[in-house]
Amino acid sequence: MNNTMGIDVSKDTLDVHRLIDGRHKQFLNSKIGHAQLIKWIELQPDPLVSFEATGAYHRLLERGLGNRPIPFVKVNPKQARRFARASGKLAKTDRVDCAMLAKMGAALHLVPKPLTAENLYDLRDLLCARRALIKDRTAAKARNATVTHALLKGQLAKRLRHIECDIEKIDTAMLALAHQDRQMRERLDILSSIPGIGMTTALMILVDMPEIGGLDGKQVASLAGLAPLSCM
């Protein structure tokens, strides 16, 4: 596909390279910037957008592209750097990176994979919040093991109870959302039936890798970063 566009995502900006003519544009990484970017992309025939997964910075962009819908591929950052090194591109700037991502999408014939659930974005938001709470719980427990003052002990105990309550509410909300989608519900039942995989773990797997069930074993291993790769 010649009309591939690479987007380098940073905290404040989105740098875009259009492969067909080498044009570069920059948009704000905000709701206004996303609207302008999507409007510009939709003017192009048969676009394919390629960008790196960058945690919280790419989530709104991914939601905006998916809602239109505009075909996109979310690239593993390690794979992107390997492609850049193989192409002889050692410099790393926003402008260079977005051009490299566009070339990678075209050269490797990257295929966009549709989301398996309409509410997947909400599930990802909930899972991100859950992981933040797990970190808070770990920190609170570590702190509780070292403090001796009764006031601090009481505050930490109260904080831990609130965290556990919040985690329970998030788990309930995630499960309810997952059950609203027939395909996700079926895959959740299959995964949770495997010995050693509970419902919560199965749900996190499906949210992180919604492609499971539509890929073969080797593709899933590659997606998860577990497949052996040759290192040059």
Side-chain angles (χ1 to χ4, degrees), residues 2 27 35 39 45 62 86 128 139 146 175 209:
N2 292 327
F27 300 87
K39 183 177 180 180
E62 182 179 0
C128 183
T146 59
L175 191 59
M209 294 191 295

Side-chain angles (χ1 to χ4, degrees), residues 115-149:
L115 298 175
T116 59
E118 293 181 0
N119 51 24
L120 185 59
Y121 295 113
D122 291 331
L123 283 167
R124 285 175 173 167
D125 286 341
L126 287 168
L127 181 55
C128 183
R130 188 185 195 278
R131 285 173 172 156
L133 286 169
I134 295 297
K135 290 182 179 180
D136 289 346
R137 184 177 65 182
T138 301
K141 285 183 176 180
R143 179 64 175 158
N144 192 43
T146 59
V147 298
T148 57
H149 197 284

Side-chain angles (χ1 to χ4, degrees), residues 4-10 13-18 24-29 34 37-38 40-41 48-54 57-58 61-62 65 70-75 94-103:
T4 305
M5 287 172 247
I7 301 180
D8 182 77
V9 182
S10 63
T13 59
L14 303 170
D15 283 83
V16 188
H17 178 89
R18 188 168 62 193
H24 172 269
K25 287 180 72 69
Q26 187 179 81
F27 300 87
L28 292 177
N29 192 1
H34 295 165
L37 168 63
I38 289 171
W40 182 71
I41 291 175
L48 173 66
V49 175
S50 175
F51 62 90
E52 284 187 22
T54 54
Y57 297 150
H58 81 262
L61 171 64
E62 182 179 0
L65 295 172
I70 295 172
F72 67 87
V73 178
K74 187 168 56 176
V75 178
D94 294 345
R95 189 157 187 154
V96 169
D97 285 350
C98 66
M100 181 272 299
L101 286 166
K103 293 175 182 176

Side-chain angles (χ1 to χ4, degrees), residues 69-224:
I70 295 172
F72 67 87
V73 178
K74 187 168 56 176
V75 178
N76 185 299
K78 290 184 179 179
Q79 292 176 323
R81 292 314 304 162
R82 291 192 187 105
F83 180 85
R85 287 195 294 268
S87 303
K89 298 292 184 181
L90 301 180
K92 184 170 175 59
T93 65
D94 294 345
R95 189 157 187 154
V96 169
D97 285 350
C98 66
M100 181 272 299
L101 286 166
K103 293 175 182 176
M104 181 179 178
L108 301 184
H109 304 289
L110 298 180
V111 178
K113 294 181 174 62
L115 298 175
T116 59
E118 293 181 0
N119 51 24
L120 185 59
Y121 295 113
D122 291 331
L123 283 167
R124 285 175 173 167
D125 286 341
L126 287 168
L127 181 55
C128 183
R130 188 185 195 278
R131 285 173 172 156
L133 286 169
I134 295 297
K135 290 182 179 180
D136 289 346
R137 184 177 65 182
T138 301
K141 285 183 176 180
R143 179 64 175 158
N144 192 43
T146 59
V147 298
T148 57
H149 197 284
L151 174 63
L152 296 179
K153 282 281 188 181
Q155 289 178 340
L156 286 169
K158 183 178 180 180
R159 174 61 181 151
L160 285 168
R161 288 194 298 271
H162 285 166
I163 291 174
E164 293 293 351
C165 182
D166 288 344
I167 291 174
E168 184 177 347
K169 289 178 180 178
I170 287 177
D171 288 344
T172 301
M174 289 180 65
L175 191 59
L177 281 174
H179 282 164
Q180 291 175 10
D181 183 86
R182 180 187 60 79
Q183 189 177 69
M184 178 168 279
R185 183 172 64 249
E186 292 174 352
R187 293 177 179 179
L188 186 62
D189 290 340
I190 293 172
L191 274 176
S192 61
S193 69
I194 299 173
I197 297 182
M199 186 62 72
T200 301
T201 301
L203 186 53
M204 289 192 289
I205 291 173
L206 284 177
V207 174
D208 280 333
M209 294 191 295
E211 299 87 353
I212 285 181
L215 304 177
D216 59 35
K218 291 182 179 180
Q219 289 173 321
V220 170
S222 178
L223 179 65

